[in-house]
């Protein structure tokens, strides 16, 4: 019989990892935005878009 998956009972290491990412995503986004404005390249813009998407996902609790 398959065990039910409960999304609210994550392991401790996963909750800690999520909390660390939530704290660090804003400084990384700001740093990447400054870097993109100074040295623009395709990879920088793509990375900035990913960081902004992650920031919004954490802010609205999509993750």
């Amino acid at each position: 019989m398959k065990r039910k998956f409960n999304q609210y009972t994550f392991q401790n290491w996963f909750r800690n990892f999520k909390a660390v990412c939530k704290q660090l995503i804003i400084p990384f986004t700001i740093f990447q935005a400054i870097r993109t404005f100074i040295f623009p390249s395709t990879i920088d813009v793509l990375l900035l878009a990913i960081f902004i998407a992650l920031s919004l996902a954490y802010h609205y609790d999509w993750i």
Side-chain angles (χ1 to χ4, degrees), residues 16-32 51-52 54-55 58:
N16 289 340
F17 178 74
K18 186 177 171 184
V20 168
C21 287
K22 197 172 190 177
Q23 291 174 357
L24 293 177
I25 193 67
I26 297 297
F28 285 161
T29 304
I30 292 169
F31 173 77
Q32 189 61 35
F51 283 162
I52 290 173
L54 279 174
S55 297
Y58 278 124

Side-chain angles (χ1 to χ4, degrees), residues 33-46:
I34 293 169
R35 179 181 155 87
T36 302
F37 288 131
I38 294 172
F39 305 113
S41 71
T42 306
I43 295 173
D44 287 330
V45 173
L46 182 64

Side-chain angles (χ1 to χ4, degrees), residues 14 16 19 23 46 48 58-59 62-63:
F14 185 73
N16 289 340
Q23 291 174 357
L46 182 64
L48 180 62
Y58 278 124
H59 179 71
W62 294 336
I63 294 180

